[in-house]
Amino acid sequence: MTTVRIPEHWPATEEQARAVQDELRERVILDEPGPPPGTGHVTGVDVAYDDERDIVAAAAVVLDASSLEVVAEATAVGRVPFPYVPGLLAFREIPTVLAALDALPLPPGLVVCDGYGLAHPRRFGLASHLGVLTGLPTIGVAKNPFTFAYDDPDTPRGSSSALLAGSEEVGRALRTREAVKPVFVSVGHRVTLAVACAHTLALTPEYRLPETTRRADALCRRALRDTYPA
DNA sequence: GCGACAG
DNA sequence: ATCTTGTCGC
């Protein structure tokens, strides 16, 4: 497993971090459809924290998009590089996630993040940030609506409704399991919202959350306890 | 000013 | 995110 250091010029204040977002936001690509769902590789990334020891562990798990079988995985650990501030989550996760992605023996294909992309106070969430830095197509699938408004989607799996920032649709509330709380899908980089939702449905044949994030979540937790046992 | 707020 | 037992159900 890779060990990472905090990058030299990583933002130290919220003001600096917001300035980085405002700068990088210009590079987001929103007019590409993205890879077709059900083909190629799809990679889930996630992180786990040990606040006591100031440690963060990241995992990247590559799945075959049609069988959802694991094709490759990698992990990385490092110091937590930024405090949790709503809207600045990416600065906590990105260095370690990048290291895990770099350690993969294969191209990741589409990357599925645990959080938001466009659905963000400055329209530049974790998935957008990771996409711009890697050039990879990315989407965000979050478990909560954050500050955004939405109407409850219809009961059947596959139903969806707009995730709204005022009157602007920044994502979709997507029902991945009948009558179960929806997930909140937003575009990261080089993927369309419709395609992002299609991928999310393809990744949730059984559970509310995408297989990608379920696998990545399990792996980064394992990496954390294997590396720094209680 | 106060509360809410991805993970 | 993380702290945490049992419990209901497939």
Side-chain angles (χ1 to χ4, degrees), chain A residues 19-171:
Chain A
V20 169
Q21 292 181 329
D22 289 335
E23 169 89 11
L24 294 181
R25 182 178 49 203
E26 311 299 314
R27 303 197 215 163
V28 173
I29 294 173
L30 299 174
D31 60 4
E32 288 182 23
T39 63
H41 290 163
V42 188
T43 296
V45 293
D46 193 18
V47 303
Y49 299 99
D50 182 337
D51 289 325
E52 280 289 295
R53 300 182 171 120
D54 195 37
I55 294 294
V56 53
V61 180
V62 185
L63 304 186
D64 177 274
S66 67
S67 68
L68 302 187
E69 299 284 316
V70 175
V71 171
E73 29 179 65
T75 57
V77 293
R79 307 292 292 278
V80 180
F82 205 85
Y84 173 66
V85 179
L88 300 178
L89 176 66
F91 295 93
R92 257 172 104 67
E93 313 206 334
I94 277 190
T96 335
V97 167
L98 283 179
L101 284 172
D102 282 346
L104 288 172
L106 298 168
L110 175 81
V111 177
V112 180
C113 298
D114 192 7
Y116 285 123
L118 242 195
H120 177 273
R122 285 168 298 283
R123 305 296 177 270
F124 195 73
L126 171 63
S128 317
H129 202 144
L130 192 62
V132 165
L133 293 188
T134 61
L136 298 167
T138 60
I139 67 173
V141 180
K143 301 181 280 298
N144 297 291
F146 201 7
T147 62
F148 303 103
Y150 69 101
D151 293 319
D152 206 41
D154 291 332
T155 305
R157 162 178 152 85
S159 304
S160 71
S161 58
L163 189 63
L164 297 171
S167 60
E168 178 186 0
E169 179 172 352
V170 294

